[in-house]
Amino acid sequence: RAARDAPVMRRRPSIGTSVILGALLVAAPFVALLAWQAYDQVGSDSRTTEAAVLERAQIVATDTGQVIDATRLLLAALALEPSVSALDPGRCHPVPVDEAARAPVYANLLLAARSGRVVCSAAPQPGDPVSVADRPWFGQAVRSDAFTVGDAQLDRITGRWVAVLALPVHDGAGRLVGVIAAVVDLVNLGSLVV
């Protein structure tokens, strides 16, 4: 029992251990402060990057909207031309060819009959006349009888990734006879708006 009641002698840490513990206690707040500053800087950089990306996205959206608006006006003007509503391949209006050559955003400008058969195309058609009857943008333009912006797709005539902007064409009596379309080259559009 006397051994149990005897005072326990604790061993004192060596001077080296004491110095190391002291240094850690002094350094810990500084390490925490440095870690906090690094975390805060990363957060700040992230917020700056997010703001820059958002600003760039807004610019691209505005520029893309301007391309869509300008294309809608071009198609509306062309749709009013008697040579366009006639759907006669021999009388294709020269403006689509000229416009496609001048504006690199367009991979093609084309006119399709209500059946979907391409009647006129600024880009040469490969072999047999192409039909766009199965393309969603064409069906949507015919069904809605309104301006349509199609999804990205691989174009059958040019072989490029495009989005097609289409507008119905009416004859003198107001009947829908076809669709005029601007085939927007997505690569060229990207280089213009980015």
Side-chain angles (χ1 to χ4, degrees), residues 80-174:
L80 295 175
E81 292 286 327
S83 60
V84 170
S85 62
L87 298 177
D88 180 2
R91 294 179 51 206
C92 284
H93 197 281
V95 171
V97 176
D98 296 342
E99 193 63 35
R102 272 199 336 257
V105 72
Y106 300 126
N108 194 8
L109 291 165
L110 63 88
L111 175 64
R114 187 176 181 143
S115 66
R117 181 180 53 83
V118 175
V119 176
C120 299
S121 173
Q125 294 188 54
D128 296 331
V130 173
S131 175
V132 293
D134 63 332
R135 294 296 193 166
W137 61 264
F138 181 81
Q140 186 179 354
V142 169
R143 281 189 307 279
S144 68
D145 197 15
F147 179 74
T148 301
V149 178
D151 293 330
Q153 65 183 32
L154 189 61
D155 186 55
R156 288 183 180 140
I157 296 175
T158 65
R160 299 179 188 166
W161 280 99
V162 299
V164 181
L165 286 64
L167 185 74
V169 175
H170 300 90
D171 64 11

